Amino acid sequence: MTVNELRSKYIEFFKSKGHVEIGGKSLLPNNDPTVLFTTAGMQPLVPYLAGENHPSGTRLTDYQKCVRTGDIDSVGDPAHLTFFEMLGNWSLGDYFKKESIGFSFEFLTDKKWLGISPDKLSVTVFAGEEGIPRDDEAAAIWESHGIPRERIHFLPREDNWWGPAGATGPCGPDTEIFFDTGKEKCGPDCRPGCHCGKYVEIWNNVFMQYNKNAEGQFIPLARKCVDTGMGVERTVAMLNGQKSVYETDVFVPIIKCIEELTGKKYGDNETDDMSMRIIADHARTATFILGDPQAVTPARTGAGYILRRIIRRAVRHGRKLGLEGSFLAKPAAIVIDEYKHAYPELAEHTDFIYDQLAQEESKFLKTLKQGEAEFEKLLPNLLKNPKKVIPGRVAFRLYDTFGYPIELTEELGQENGMTVDIEGFNAEEKKHQEESRSLSAGAFKGGLADHSEITTKYHTATHLLQQALVNVLGAHVAQKGSNITAERMRFDFTHPQAMTKEEIQKVEDIVNEQIQRDLPVTMEVMDIEDAKKSGARALFGEKYDKQVKVYTIGDFSKEVCGGPHVQHTAQIGHFHIVKEQSSSAGVRRIRAVIEGGLPLEPSPENK
């Protein structure tokens, strides 16, 4: 089975069960400060799992592009990827455990769909703890489908529980489905969840049935939801009996391209194979990030830093295989061709992808020269060390500041009769990775993003800000991303030069004028084409569902958006622009704060 076939079969199956296919969203999440990238298929659905009504109904299905970089150093092993696809289906207060498990079992085992032998499947369910009963209901449903008790495993919270991210909120048990690869058990305690490779998780069904209150009690929810996720690459590898995700049809042509570039044969040398897998993964990830409608460019912070790190790591492994100049455009071309039907935005951004890859490759090659020059400067002092050891902090500074790889520092050391304090280097790197992981890994496996009163006010203010920017600067202004926390808002938009002080003041005044007018904020569900015809502003390049929510703010603003929003603008408070600066070429960034405002009224969106 190919990746395209699995994706198509999954969507077809759930549409046959009354689910509406919705469009996957950007890799750069809007208004979610907890993550740099979309890290899970459910992430764009968070407001609807929290209680908001989805314009497409209560049964939904989609495929979603995701990036996780918390385990970047594991990439290249049989299972880890930075970019991956998730298939998902959701019930928003519609069906629950019986139907969800039934759908999963039918799709996996029916010969019309995946045709997996039930003997190959094992499952885990929540073991229960004080205040929350064991999930015997899910276990009984699996048993009714022929999964025997010995292949139903009760595991604790860390394995089979979802949410909440904060102190309170919706949460519940999950059931995870594992494929038995046929390997021998690693020992008497070998079971699903063991990391020996015998059992591979392919699907996770989350049952949101409780609300955790401020007293720590778990109160059953009246509106129960189901959220499921299936990893595409991993499932395809299991279905085909492949030992690694890098043997699947999406990676084979990328690795073949790398073979042609390097003159090396995949499978001949494990060290070279590891480098080829890392290049294949990182080239695919960088292509998807750069090809996103809200693409970031390589930078020193945030998502741009992760992108830069991925590109430079691919270049470094290219050098290990003997590649000296720019080469990433060639594997990127394979990725674009493979995925352009499922993700047409890649083909639309081809030139931008090639240009950014070439620029960053060129910068990194210059950086390597700078690192070598810096080493030459440090050398006289390093040679004074009687133990002839390059300190770990020095090696890490060369790596972190100049992007100079530790292997090359070791080579330079050897040429000068020195070794490197690798333990010290690893300690510095680990400290750095923990900081990076806290930014990139985020709150998923999951928690609900912040939809508090203050962030709701900030979100509505972005609508006013965008329209004010259009009024002052011109119709070319378009949103390129936003980020909201409880303390401030950040809004990126297209504009070729810095705003003047007068322009900034004028925009701020216009926003505050609309707040003082206390305009009503109304919402209606519309067909996306009708919404655009009505003059509603939409994110350029975003993939919208057929039915969308359109928010109108008095006579001032009309925009396609998911929410949440205030009911009238006086609730926002006073708006103040703190800073206007460059974000990337042709993109400006505004940071702003709000103070005061009226309290929000209770509503399904703002609870």
Side-chain angles (χ1 to χ4, degrees):
M1 180 169 286
T2 67
V3 162
N4 284 337
E5 285 169 349
L6 176 61
R7 195 190 300 116
S8 297
K9 276 180 178 285
Y10 187 95
I11 298 298
E12 181 188 351
F13 174 81
F14 280 101
K15 285 172 76 171
S16 78
K17 301 298 183 184
H19 293 66
V20 175
E21 181 182 2
I22 58 174
K25 301 303 180 187
S26 169
L27 270 176
L28 284 299
N30 264 319
N31 303 321
D32 184 352
T34 64
V35 284
L36 295 175
F37 295 103
T38 298
T39 58
M42 57 74 65
Q43 197 172 334
L45 275 294
V46 161
Y48 310 105
L49 294 167
E52 195 176 329
N53 292 325
H54 196 285
S56 294
T58 58
R59 293 188 179 203
L60 310 172
T61 186
D62 78 354
Y63 56 91
Q64 173 67 46
K65 50 188 179 179
C66 305
V67 165
R68 288 183 190 168
T69 57
D71 296 319
I72 191 170
D73 295 303
S74 298
V75 167
D77 71 7
H80 281 91
L81 299 167
T82 48
F83 171 87
F84 59 97
E85 288 185 88
M86 286 290 281
L87 301 167
N89 65 281
W90 292 271
S91 165
L92 306 176
D94 192 320
Y95 59 81
F96 204 46
K97 293 180 187 179
K98 181 181 177 183
E99 295 85 351
S100 176
I101 291 172
F103 290 153
S104 296
F105 186 80
E106 181 182 350
F107 180 69
L108 289 169
T109 62
D110 193 304
K111 286 183 168 55
K112 181 181 177 184
W113 304 106
L114 299 191
I116 299 173
S117 168
D119 295 340
K120 287 278 189 183
L121 300 178
S122 294
V123 299
T124 60
V125 294
F126 181 55
E129 61 180 54
E130 188 177 347
I132 316 170
R134 191 168 89 154
D135 197 355
D136 289 315
E137 181 186 2
I141 297 167
W142 279 117
E143 205 168 7
S144 74
H145 286 288
I147 303 296
R149 274 284 167 167
E150 59 266 24
R151 298 211 308 273
I152 300 171
H153 302 265
F154 291 89
L155 298 185
R157 171 184 287 269
E158 54 265 30
D159 295 289
N160 283 82
W161 184 265
W162 186 94
T168 63
C171 53
D174 67 12
T175 183
E176 298 181 1
I177 308 168
F178 290 79
F179 181 87
D180 187 342
T181 64
K183 288 183 180 178
E184 289 296 317
K185 288 190 173 187
C186 64
D189 296 327
C190 186
R191 55 155 179 77
C194 173
H195 298 293
C196 70
K198 177 174 175 60
Y199 299 99
V200 177
E201 182 194 341
I202 56 175
W203 208 340
N204 183 16
N205 297 27
V206 176
F207 306 123
M208 281 183 238
Q209 65 186 96
Y210 298 103
N211 183 68
K212 184 181 178 185
N213 65 19
E215 288 73 44
Q217 299 168 313
F218 293 89
I219 310 300
L221 286 168
R223 180 184 183 269
K224 297 177 173 67
C225 294
V226 176
D227 153 42
T228 84
M230 171 184 273
V232 172
E233 296 86 352
R234 188 182 292 183
T235 303
V236 167
M238 293 304 101
L239 290 169
N240 294 338
Q242 293 158 335
K243 296 177 182 176
S244 162
V245 290
Y246 295 96
E247 294 175 19
T248 59
D249 63 291
V250 289
F251 278 107
V252 168
I254 305 173
I255 289 174
K256 186 179 180 188
C257 171
I258 298 165
E259 285 181 323
E260 291 169 356
L261 286 167
T262 62
K264 294 179 183 289
K265 182 73 177 167
Y266 186 75
D268 284 354
N269 177 292
E270 177 52 31
T271 301
D272 289 349
D273 290 353
M274 177 67 85
S275 288
M276 287 187 183
R277 292 193 291 265
I278 289 170
I279 294 168
D281 170 84
H282 289 8
R284 188 172 74 138
T285 302
T287 300
F288 266 93
I289 294 173
L290 289 167
D292 194 88
Q294 297 189 55
V296 295
T297 53
R300 291 186 63 83
T301 59
Y305 171 75
I306 299 296
L307 173 61
R308 186 182 77 170
R309 185 180 174 202
I310 284 168
I311 294 172
R312 292 187 171 194
R313 197 162 183 256
V315 171
R316 180 160 65 84
H317 281 275
R319 281 172 65 97
K320 290 174 80 169
L321 295 173
L323 294 172
E324 291 296 331
S326 296
F327 66 89
L328 285 175
K330 289 188 177 177
I334 304 290
V335 175
I336 293 167
D337 189 57
E338 282 186 336
Y339 284 99
K340 63 187 177 187
H341 298 297
Y343 300 98
E345 62 267 28
L346 296 180
E348 293 164 12
H349 294 87
T350 296
D351 291 343
F352 178 76
I353 293 167
Y354 292 163
D355 178 62
Q356 289 297 318
L357 287 173
Q359 281 190 43
E360 187 57 27
E361 285 177 287
S362 175
K363 284 179 187 174
F364 185 43
L365 293 172
K366 287 178 187 171
T367 293
L368 291 177
K369 289 179 183 174
Q370 290 175 334
E372 286 164 6
E374 181 68 13
F375 183 85
E376 291 299 323
K377 276 192 215 170
L378 296 170
L379 189 57
N381 277 332
L382 293 173
L383 288 169
K384 292 175 184 176
N385 183 333
K387 293 182 180 178
K388 303 296 182 189
V389 175
I390 300 170
R393 58 181 174 74
V394 172
F396 185 75
R397 180 172 171 271
L398 286 169
Y399 170 70
D400 189 45
T401 305
F402 298 95
Y404 202 74
I406 182 63
E407 305 95 287
L408 298 186
T409 301
E410 286 184 289
E411 286 179 20
L412 289 175
Q414 286 169 6
E415 289 169 11
N416 291 277
M418 290 183 287
T419 58
V420 176
D421 175 12
I422 294 296
E423 282 189 15
F425 174 87
N426 290 339
E428 292 286 334
E429 187 177 40
K430 186 177 181 183
K431 186 166 65 177
H432 180 81
Q433 283 172 353
E434 283 168 3
E435 293 168 6
S436 175
R437 187 175 288 119
S438 67
L439 278 172
S440 63
F444 299 91
K445 179 176 173 181
L448 298 172
D450 183 6
H451 285 278
S452 62
E453 183 165 303
I454 185 63
T455 58
T456 297
K457 292 179 178 184
Y458 271 121
H459 181 78
T460 312
T462 64
H463 289 243
L464 299 177
L465 173 59
Q466 176 158 305
Q467 188 59 51
L469 288 165
V470 170
N471 292 358
V472 173
L473 303 177
H476 64 277
V477 168
Q479 180 177 338
K480 290 295 288 182
S482 65
N483 182 274
I484 289 170
T485 70
E487 289 76 38
R488 55 96 182 123
M489 63 178 283
R490 193 188 75 205
F491 187 83
D492 294 354
F493 60 98
T494 50
H495 188 56
Q497 71 264 342
M499 293 173 65
T500 65
K501 287 183 180 179
E502 291 75 19
E503 287 170 336
I504 293 170
Q505 189 60 54
K506 195 169 181 182
V507 166
E508 186 178 298
D509 290 344
I510 290 173
V511 172
N512 282 315
E513 181 187 344
Q514 310 318 311
I515 292 170
Q516 289 160 12
R517 289 175 68 198
D518 199 14
L519 300 172
V521 180
T522 58
M523 185 277 288
E524 58 182 319
V525 175
M526 302 173 68
D527 185 277
I528 182 61
E529 294 307 318
D530 292 339
K532 289 177 179 176
K533 286 174 187 173
S534 75
R537 191 177 301 282
L539 277 175
F540 176 75
E542 180 68 89
K543 289 194 289 187
Y544 287 101
D545 303 327
K546 183 172 172 55
Q547 294 288 306
V548 295
K549 290 183 176 181
V550 176
Y551 282 86
T552 302
I553 303 178
D555 56 2
F556 185 72
S557 164
K558 191 173 190 179
E559 196 167 328
V560 176
C561 187
H565 297 78
V566 301
Q567 293 98 357
H568 49 98
T569 57
Q571 292 170 322
I572 295 172
H574 182 75
F575 176 85
H576 173 59
I577 295 175
V578 176
K579 193 173 188 180
E580 190 273 351
Q581 64 191 116
S582 171
S583 172
S584 60
V587 177
R588 305 298 298 177
R589 171 170 292 173
I590 278 178
R591 295 178 186 271
V593 294
I594 53 177
E595 295 176 352
L598 302 174
L600 303 191
E601 298 149 22
S603 79
E605 280 194 272
N606 301 322
K607 65 185 180 181

